Amino acid sequence: MSVVEQYARAHIVTDADIDEESAVPVVLRYDPEDNPRSIRVGLPGTHEWTLSRTLLEQGLHAPAGSGEVRVWPCGRVQAIVEFHSAQGVSVVQFESKTLLRFLRRTYLAA
């Protein structure tokens, strides 16, 4: 089994005064040796989140999750992943096809 790592660009949704056109680099990672049911999402800085592949897959079709991570479709081509922590909430907007491509690669690697 091999590690699947995919670099992507995503938008951080915020009410701060930032350029809405700028996307941030994100690393999507799946390591079946570490945990075959989970993926990791690395945000800029030292933020890395772990969530289940099932949650991500379900959230691409309908709102899913509770607690620290929630995922839901946003229109026909985008998806939102919301991360909750003691420091606050990070809302990240992805292209759905990017997440689908990553999920496909994880299932082929398992």
Side-chain angles (χ1 to χ4, degrees):
M1 292 191 251
S2 61
V3 173
V4 175
E5 194 167 85
Q6 180 172 316
Y7 296 90
R9 309 241 348 124
H11 294 274
I12 305 294
V13 179
T14 179
D15 59 359
D17 189 23
I18 62 170
D19 180 10
E20 290 185 24
E21 294 299 314
S22 63
V24 297
V26 177
V27 178
L28 304 169
R29 191 168 204 278
Y30 171 69
D31 185 349
E33 301 272 332
D34 182 39
N35 187 342
R37 294 188 176 114
S38 295
I39 62 161
R40 287 186 270 165
V41 178
L43 299 175
T46 59
H47 305 297
E48 185 172 88
W49 294 87
T50 301
L51 63 143
S52 78
R53 286 193 301 173
T54 304
L55 172 63
L56 181 59
E57 189 170 15
Q58 290 173 347
L60 291 174
H61 304 288
S66 62
E68 293 184 350
V69 181
R70 298 175 184 149
V71 183
W72 67 89
C74 179
R76 295 182 349 186
V77 298
Q78 297 175 332
I80 301 291
V81 182
E82 185 177 272
F83 302 102
H84 293 256
S85 72
Q87 291 76 32
V89 178
S90 295
V91 180
V92 185
Q93 183 177 27
F94 288 91
E95 293 290 326
S96 297
K97 66 182 178 185
T98 300
L99 298 176
L100 285 167
R101 185 179 322 118
F102 174 71
L103 280 171
R104 233 178 272 122
R105 291 180 61 211
T106 69
Y107 286 111
L108 291 172

